[in-house]
């Protein structure tokens, strides 16, 4: 078959166009792959930078938190040194009997450092002596609670006459529920009627915080000392919840609900196992602990 010259030229032109288009397609594909690879590398670099930045921020936050805690502990250390005389005047917290039945005065452990609010910022609790007699001995003891605010320790609550050396005296247990971070005082006083009162530190934002009376139980000690949950209610026993008389079963059901929130004793003069389980510190132990935190 005879092919005309114009036809050959046309075919040659078409072939050239096809080759050029293929070459451009390859170039575009290479450029696209190169761009995709570049974008992937860019994203990887960006991700690494963001990771490094987050790590730096976390490290900075940790360092800042550490410095904040050091400032807190340093302020508490200074405060305890300022209050040393009154703190060491509280000398009658615990008495125990020796083998021959003689009462021995034990070392006072009336200081606790604990996170009362659950915000990772510890509060300082301490008991000091007050109302000195003619011989210079304190006869009453008060509880103080301090929190770190605006760069200094601020007293947020106080419980006067927590303990005293007159009349029948008092026993107490200051405890914190671990599940919901609420601070309680269980205080027992001994007089014509023995009385056990449960106080809860209010959750108000205005200071000083008040101690809300939650419950109380009183009885005539000359009639009986049996006051467990299972014994029948006696005529001399009185149970109060939120200022209203209740049955014995209701009172102990209320106390059981608190026990289910994992109470942890901070400071106590109950003696025995209750005192051993508390996290209270003596004055020297508290100073030693705080000094280590600020090193």
């Amino acid at each position: 078959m005879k092919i005309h010259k114009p036809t050959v030229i046309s075919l040659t032109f078409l072939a050239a166009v096809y080759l050029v288009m293929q070459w451009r397609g390859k170039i575009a594909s290479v450029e696209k792959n190169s761009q995709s690879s570049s974008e992937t590398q860019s994203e990887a670099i960006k991700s690494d930078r963001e990771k490094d930045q987050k790590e730096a921020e976390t490290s900075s936050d940790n360092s800042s938190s550490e410095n904040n805690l050091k400032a807190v502990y340093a302020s508490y250390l200074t405060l305890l040194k300022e209050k040393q005389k009154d703190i060491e005047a509280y000398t009658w917290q615990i008495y125990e009997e020796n083998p021959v039945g003689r009462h021995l005065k034990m070392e006072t452990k009336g200081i606790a450092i604990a996170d009362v609010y659950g915000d990772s910022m510890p509060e300082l609790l301490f008991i000091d002596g007050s109302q000195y007699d003619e011989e210079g001995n304190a006869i009453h003891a008060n509880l103080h609670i301090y929190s770190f605010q605006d760069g200094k320790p601020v007293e947020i609550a106080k419980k006067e006459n927590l303990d005293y050396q007159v009349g029948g005296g008092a026993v107490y247990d200051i405890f914190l529920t671990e599940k919901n971070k609420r601070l309680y005082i269980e205080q027992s006083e001994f007089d014509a009627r023995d009385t056990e009162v449960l106080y809860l530190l209010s959750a108000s934002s205005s200071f000083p915080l008040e101690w809300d009376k939650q419950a109380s139980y009183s009885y005539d000690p000359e009639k009986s000392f049996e006051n467990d949950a299972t014994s029948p209610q006696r005529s001399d026993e009185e149970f109060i919840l939120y200022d209203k008389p209740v049955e014995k079963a209701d009172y102990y059901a209320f106390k059981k609900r608190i026990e289910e929130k994992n109470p942890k004793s901070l400071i106590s003069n109950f003696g025995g196992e209750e005192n051993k389980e508390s996290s209270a510190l003596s004055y020297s132990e508290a100073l030693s602990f705080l000094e280590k935190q600020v090193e």
Side-chain angles (χ1 to χ4, degrees), residues 9-19:
I9 293 171
S10 296
L11 290 172
T12 302
F13 175 76
L14 288 172
V17 169
Y18 174 76
L19 289 173

Side-chain angles (χ1 to χ4, degrees), residues 86-126:
D86 289 332
I87 291 172
E88 293 186 335
Y90 178 43
T91 60
W92 66 94
Q93 182 189 43
I94 296 288
Y95 288 89
E96 290 187 3
E97 291 185 357
N98 66 7
V100 296
R102 184 179 177 183
H103 284 79
L104 300 176
K105 192 182 294 184
M106 308 301 290
E107 182 183 29
T108 296
K109 293 195 173 187
I111 302 171
I113 300 164
D115 178 11
V116 171
Y117 291 111
D119 58 359
S120 301
M121 189 66 71
E123 276 68 45
L124 172 67
L125 299 82
F126 66 85

